[in-house]
Amino acid sequence: MNTTLKKLKKGVLLTLAAVLTTAFAYSQSNCSKFYPIEEGTAFQYTNYNKKGKIEGTVDYTISKVTAEGSATNATYDMKYLDKKGKDLFETNFNILCENGMVRIDYKSLFPSQMMQQYTEMGLEMDITGTDIELPNDLSVGQELPDANLTVAMNMGGIKMNTVVDQTNRKVEKKERVTVEAGTFDCFLVTETSISKTMGMTIEMETKLWLAEGVGMVKQESYKKNGALTSRMELTKFDK
């Protein structure tokens, strides 16, 4: 049982790290400046470790877009591959754009594939939290709402809770950034991410570079002591 729970803990943290730190996508529509809202749009981010070596890729495709009154809802299909090209997991999640604000449904962030696997193992799961929000109009010094995701698990009376808090979200400055996909004028958004599970706490500082009409072009994560742990860059786009 301990081995199973350790695997669950690793899987949950990997999953939440992948989906929460890639919450900012790219392209522009009348509804959103920082998320694609057009069916068929496909793009890719590449993950690198602290030494600059490739750790994996995250591929997105927008499979469905629907109108709900004054709001637009888009379904993102997501595939996470490791450095050897092995499919680690696939899932989809929804974003809602309305009145100049984009919201990501926190419940849809947890992979359905993993949910099914855990259910078959006899695992009970309860997911709560707050939606991730990003306004269209960003400005230097602007503070953004906090976000939270809590996953409570119970397997045969043994419980495991995983909590991820995204706090201190702020637009720090504007600067030009160059990645494999090109050079962009960006807003730099910083935040603190705290993950807690099975007595273990991981606190990271994250930097996100967002460009109007493009969205996230780069993301870096740091330990509390300022040491770089990973980065993510936009590497492919097909619209």
Side-chain angles (χ1 to χ4, degrees), residues 34-50:
F34 300 104
Y35 289 82
I37 309 290
E38 296 181 25
E39 286 188 12
T41 302
F43 48 100
Q44 181 187 81
Y45 292 99
T46 299
N47 294 317
Y48 302 88
N49 64 19
K50 61 183 180 180

Side-chain angles (χ1 to χ4, degrees), residues 31-88:
C31 182
S32 170
K33 292 181 180 179
F34 300 104
Y35 289 82
I37 309 290
E38 296 181 25
E39 286 188 12
T41 302
F43 48 100
Q44 181 187 81
Y45 292 99
T46 299
N47 294 317
Y48 302 88
N49 64 19
K50 61 183 180 180
K51 295 182 179 180
K53 295 183 179 180
I54 295 177
E55 288 292 295
T57 58
V58 185
D59 289 281
Y60 295 90
T61 301
I62 299 178
S63 59
K64 185 178 181 180
V65 177
T66 58
E68 301 176 0
S70 61
T72 300
N73 187 76
T75 299
Y76 280 56
D77 293 341
M78 172 183 171
K79 178 184 290 188
Y80 191 91
L81 304 178
D82 67 13
K83 59 185 177 182
K84 296 182 179 180
K86 180 181 179 181
D87 187 352
L88 293 183

